Structure formats: structure tokens, C-alpha cells
Amino acid sequence: AAQSVTLWVDSSKSMGFSGDKSRPPKSDRAHLIAAALAVLLLRAGERVGLVGQSAPPRPGRAQLLRLAALMASADGSAEYGSPSADGMVSHGRAVLLSDFFGDMAPVEATLAAAAEHGVRGALIQVLDPAEEEFPFNGRTIFESMGGGVRHETQQADELRTRYLARLAERKDRIASLARAT
């Protein structure tokens, strides 16, 4: 029997980050991964859709065009993304793609709601190499993509150890959530 797979691609402003002008933003990578996954699933005869009511899981080539159009026109007005369980099919599958840098409460609520309906799936954290390495030194102004958060420091290299530890904690929390639900 064909599976129903629902995708959520974070379209928030935080996904617009790129640590190097020669690299595409995280949103491009997330959309590429989601599109490639959709192509593979649809070719295998599965039904694929997007979170929300605008593109419920359906089979076929026409669905791929609908998904691509909806992903390309996604609203990026929020500072950080919050997934939703809307449109997830009971006992189906879900794949959530994000940097997961925002408040984790909405992610936890979505995963709990999905698990309550027997939905299983995967969380894919999309990060820029600069977010993984923290290559900053000296005076640096850190500002969120939406401008809602700003921090200035004279010695960014002194923040590296604490930042990398917090990033590792966030990754562990995401992995724990995925295992638990």
C-alpha cells in the first residue's frame, strides 16, 4: 500500500542565512532536499504533500509541480519556523526540515500531535557551515535574519566554546525528541 508522506520545509527568515556569499542560503538546501525526497517518493508510488491544507498527500507528477510551486511561494515572514501537524495523515509519515533554532515548544507540540495520530518520520536539521564552525573573531555584531535579536561583542572567539556547546545541546535535544516520538 502506498504511504502518505507530509513534508514541512521551514520558510522562516532564519533559513535565509548563508555564512558566505558564494554559498546558497539554508532555505535553498532545505527545498532541494525536500524536492529530491518528493521526486523519489512519488516515483516509488507514494503520496506526498505539504503540511497544511493546501497540498494534501497525492500521487503523481502533477503533485510534484504543485509542491514545487508552493515551496517556491512560501511566506518567510516569521523570525523562526514553527511546524504544524495540520495535513499530516494518520499512520502516515512526515519529514520536517529546519534549522530548529527557534523555540522548541511548537516543535515538541507538533511531534506530540503527530505521534498521537501514529505519524512517524524524520527531522532534518539544515545548518550552514558557519553555524557549525563558528569562524568569528574579534569585534562582531550578530544579528538574526529578521533583526529581532542582536548581540555585539569585542571578542567573538571567546564565545566559540559556549556557542558550540549550546549547538551540541540543541542537536541532542532534537535527536531525543525524534527518538521519543
Side-chain angles (χ1 to χ4, degrees), residues 103-171:
D103 182 11
M104 290 301 290
V107 176
E108 292 169 353
T110 296
L111 293 178
E116 198 172 288
H117 290 98
V119 176
R120 297 177 53 184
L123 303 176
I124 300 176
Q125 187 177 34
V126 180
L127 298 176
D128 185 82
E131 293 170 328
E132 294 266 27
E133 300 161 3
F134 199 84
F136 308 105
N137 291 304
R139 181 177 183 267
T140 307
I141 299 172
F142 298 100
E143 187 171 16
S144 63
M145 295 302 292
V149 178
R150 180 182 164 97
H151 177 76
E152 182 175 349
T153 181
Q154 295 299 320
Q155 297 176 328
D157 48 319
E158 290 182 1
L159 300 174
R160 183 175 291 113
T161 303
R162 285 188 303 177
Y163 169 82
L164 293 174
R166 288 187 70 184
L167 180 62
E169 288 172 9
R170 177 62 61 123
K171 287 179 177 183

Side-chain angles (χ1 to χ4, degrees), residues 14 30 41 55 66 70 72-73 79 84-85 88 90 92 94 99-100 107 115 126 136 140-141 144 150 153 155:
S14 72
L41 289 166
R66 174 183 285 133
L70 288 170
S73 66
E79 184 86 43
S84 168
M88 290 185 190
S90 290
D99 57 11
F100 296 105
V107 176
V126 180
F136 308 105
T140 307
I141 299 172
S144 63
R150 180 182 164 97
T153 181
Q155 297 176 328

Side-chain angles (χ1 to χ4, degrees), residues 3-5 42 45-50 53-64 66-67:
Q3 291 289 317
S4 291
V5 182
L42 289 167
E46 310 297 357
R47 295 181 300 264
V48 181
L50 294 176
Q53 303 302 322
S54 59
R58 292 186 179 136
R61 240 183 230 191
Q63 180 69 346
L64 183 59
R66 174 183 285 133
L67 298 175

